[in-house]
Amino acid sequence: MPHTFLFEEGSWKVEGEHRDAAGALSPVAGENAIRHEPGVWHFEAALRLRGDPLRVTHNRYQIEPFSPGAASTHWSSNNPVLGALRGRFVIVGDSILSSYASPTLRYRGFECIQQRDPRRYSVRGTMLEEDKLISTWALELTRI
């Protein structure tokens, strides 16, 4: 089954949970949007972590389009809290793996984006600051 997330323009509803380093759980809701332009794909994510206080995060990624037949590509982002991040998407069967780091390697992490069907993906990921766990997340993406 060909991948639809990233590879096709569209919007995705996001639902799931986020845990901080202490294990505190926050429900998550949000939206992702993928837009293609010649030479660059745009991935915009807006997530709301419910709790007191409500926290909203916005991330904008620029992705080098996958070359025909390629199994990986690079992406970059400028996170409002963490600064610049650079990463790589790698296709492995039903999953899109992502690893990333800040230029100083202070922040790094990884995600597994597993396709359930053409309209649904499950995302599992974590972020570290040096060797300390910052957060983990378990999200479900549903195409709108």
Side-chain angles (χ1 to χ4, degrees):
M1 171 171 27
H3 282 283
T4 53
F5 185 69
L6 299 180
F7 289 86
E8 295 179 7
E9 290 187 317
S11 297
W12 298 77
K13 177 176 78 171
V14 181
E15 294 180 314
E17 63 183 35
H18 174 274
R19 288 188 187 271
D20 66 17
L25 177 68
S26 298
V28 174
E31 302 81 31
N32 289 342
I34 309 296
R35 188 172 41 87
H36 292 176
E37 290 182 6
V40 64
W41 295 350
H42 299 277
F43 171 17
E44 295 193 32
L47 300 177
R48 293 173 297 284
L49 282 67
R50 293 184 215 125
D52 189 20
L54 174 72
R55 290 172 287 159
V56 179
T57 64
H58 294 273
N59 285 309
R60 290 181 176 88
Y61 304 79
Q62 283 92 33
I63 303 166
E64 293 178 19
F66 282 77
S67 299
S72 68
T73 195
H74 295 279
W75 62 263
S76 62
S77 172
N78 196 358
N79 183 289
V81 175
L82 305 174
L85 296 173
R86 297 207 181 281
R88 188 165 189 86
F89 287 119
V90 179
I91 304 300
V92 182
D94 66 352
S95 297
I96 302 170
L97 305 179
S98 179
S99 63
Y100 56 91
S102 63
T104 63
L105 301 179
R106 178 179 178 186
Y107 298 106
R108 60 191 194 295
F110 50 90
E111 271 188 329
C112 177
I113 307 165
Q114 185 177 30
Q115 187 177 44
R116 301 298 183 191
D117 62 49
R119 300 186 60 80
R120 294 183 313 123
Y121 281 78
S122 294
V123 180
R124 304 296 183 263
T126 189
M127 178 170 282
L128 305 166
E129 180 179 7
E130 296 174 347
D131 287 336
K132 297 178 207 160
L133 177 68
I134 295 176
S135 62
T136 62
W137 52 91
L139 307 172
E140 300 301 317
L141 308 180
T142 305
R143 191 156 191 182
I144 300 172

